[in-house]
């Protein structure tokens, strides 16, 4: 270390709150694989917010250089002073799954939302409903809005009006998880022929209510979702797979560049989703072609 000025260690910085610093297993695998490729050791630093605001009790990973750089895994409710601390201590840092235009690596959620919508449009669907994840949360993860916005952009490009049920939707109010309210939406004469959900949470209630209404999947209702691995909800669901392992690997690669050139700002990377078709949750809509 004295000879090279490097410790051969990178740190993964996380909050104590799991909701604010979720770490998918595949992303952790990607970080481990990327570090091994560069002969690096990964150090875990789980940091209470209080230690970030008090110089007297700052964690060693910031107060003393125990590593060459940081992978920062804060997704929501990011402490306002964290970036200031990183800048002040001049530690090379790359953010994971965070919406910024530089020094970060994340999935391309906007494009995934648009691709999922175009997938259904190509099958003849026109009444496509998007179901968001969070309801009445003051601060959400960027992906919750990006996927919705990608859906909306694809619908508008097709000359159609987006229809969303999320934290801004007035119809369901406090009954967002109410089966009766969902039955009213899905069972309406002009109800959706396809539903895109942010993730597994919205998918579960939509699937359940569709079954109670006697809607057949995919004959009457097609279902699409997003996740880190293929979703099975009594049947395989068409799933856009988030590039979690690739984000981990790319984060390590970008951090190596930051370590080599600590004063250089690097353009953020957005990595594509891939489709796992599922095979049984999506079907065409409209009259059968005549031959």
């Amino acid at each position: 270390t004295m000879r090279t000025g490097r410790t051969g260690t990178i740190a993964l910085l996380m909050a104590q709150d799991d909701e604010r610093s979720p770490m998918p297993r595949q992303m952790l695998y990607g970080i481990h694989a990327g570090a091994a490729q560069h002969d690096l050791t990964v150090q875990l630093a789980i940091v209470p917010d209080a230690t970030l605001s008090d110089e007297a009790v700052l964690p060693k990973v910031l107060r003393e250089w125990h590593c060459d750089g940081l992978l920062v895994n804060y997704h929501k409710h990011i402490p306002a002073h964290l970036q200031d601390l990183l800048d002040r201590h001049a530690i090379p840092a790359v953010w994971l799954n965070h919406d910024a235009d530089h020094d970060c690596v994340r999935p391309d959620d906007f494009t995934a939302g648009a691709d999922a919508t175009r997938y259904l449009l190509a099958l003849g669907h026109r009444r496509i409903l998007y179901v968001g994840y969070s309801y009445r949360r003051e601060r959400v993860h960027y992906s919750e809005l990006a996927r919705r916005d990608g859906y909306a952009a694809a619908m508008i490009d097709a000359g159609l009006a987006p229809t969303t049920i999320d934290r801004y939707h007035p119809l369901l109010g406090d009954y967002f998880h109410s089966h009766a309210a969902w039955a009213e939406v899905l069972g309406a004469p002009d109800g959706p022929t396809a539903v895109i959900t942010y993730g597994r949470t919205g998918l579960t209630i939509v699937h359940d209510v569709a079954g109670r209404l006697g809607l057949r999947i995919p004959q009457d209702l097609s279902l699409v979702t997003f996740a880190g691995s293929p979703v099975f909800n009594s049947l395989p669901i068409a799933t856009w797979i988030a590039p979690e392992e690739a984000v981990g690997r790319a984060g390590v690669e970008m951090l190596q560049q930051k370590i080599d050139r600590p004063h250089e700002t690097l353009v953020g990377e957005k990595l594509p989703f891939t489709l796992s078709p599922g095979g049984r949750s999506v079907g065409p809509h409209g009259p059968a072609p005549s031959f």
Side-chain angles (χ1 to χ4, degrees):
T1 299
M2 292 176 65
R3 185 182 70 252
T4 65
R6 301 281 180 88
T7 66
T9 299
I10 59 175
L12 176 60
L13 184 65
M14 300 174 63
Q16 283 186 324
D17 184 350
D18 289 342
E19 184 180 350
R20 297 168 59 197
S21 286
M23 174 49 66
R25 181 179 299 180
Q26 292 301 320
M27 191 179 297
L28 188 59
Y29 291 165
I31 293 171
H32 183 270
Q37 185 175 351
H38 291 282
D39 196 26
L40 297 171
T41 299
V42 180
Q43 170 184 327
L44 181 61
I46 300 178
V47 181
D49 283 357
T51 65
L52 295 176
S53 58
D54 187 345
E55 292 285 350
V57 293
L58 274 176
K60 286 186 178 182
V61 73
L62 293 176
R63 187 176 64 247
E64 303 171 10
W65 273 53
H66 279 57
C67 62
D68 298 322
L70 292 177
L71 293 173
V72 184
N73 188 53
Y74 277 73
H75 296 188
K76 298 181 182 179
H77 310 281
I78 299 169
H81 45 279
L82 178 54
Q83 185 64 59
D84 177 63
L85 282 172
L86 296 177
D87 293 341
R88 182 146 37 93
H89 288 267
I91 297 179
V94 169
W95 294 74
L96 300 176
N97 206 5
H98 174 64
D99 187 21
D101 58 4
H102 62 87
D103 298 335
C104 72
V105 180
R106 67 175 179 85
D108 190 351
D109 293 274
F110 179 91
T111 300
D115 286 346
T117 307
R118 287 191 285 261
Y119 176 59
L120 292 168
L121 289 169
L123 291 170
H125 293 277
R126 294 298 179 267
R127 299 198 306 272
I128 304 171
L129 172 67
Y130 180 87
V131 179
Y133 171 67
S134 60
Y135 179 65
R136 291 191 175 180
R137 295 188 179 188
E138 294 180 0
R139 288 171 286 185
V140 300
H141 190 241
Y142 79 87
S143 63
E144 298 172 33
L145 306 181
R147 293 176 193 175
R148 183 202 66 187
D149 292 348
Y151 151 82
M155 291 290 283
I156 292 170
D157 285 346
L160 302 169
T163 304
T164 62
I165 294 180
D166 58 15
R167 65 195 297 260
Y168 305 111
H169 197 284
L171 176 62
L172 298 181
D174 291 331
Y175 301 98
F176 181 70
H177 294 296
S178 163
H179 282 71
W182 276 107
E184 183 179 341
V185 172
L186 297 179
D190 59 347
T193 64
V195 175
I196 302 172
T197 70
Y198 170 81
R200 287 180 169 89
T201 302
L203 175 68
T204 300
I205 192 168
V206 170
H207 193 194
D208 185 25
V209 173
R212 296 187 185 198
L213 293 174
L215 296 175
R216 300 166 301 164
I217 298 172
Q219 294 90 340
D220 302 317
L221 185 68
S222 290
L223 299 176
V224 171
T225 194
F226 307 88
S229 59
V231 173
F232 185 88
N233 206 54
S234 82
L235 78 163
I237 304 296
T239 308
W240 257 258
I241 307 296
E244 292 172 349
E245 181 176 0
V247 167
R249 286 180 176 270
V252 174
E253 291 295 327
M254 182 177 286
L255 184 56
Q256 278 292 96
Q257 298 178 52
K258 289 290 292 184
I259 292 169
D260 291 337
R261 303 184 298 276
H263 300 295
E264 182 175 332
T265 298
L266 302 177
V267 177
E269 294 184 28
K270 299 178 185 178
L271 305 184
F273 286 60
T274 55
L275 172 62
S276 174
R280 294 177 55 195
S281 75
V282 173
H285 178 71
S290 57
F291 297 95

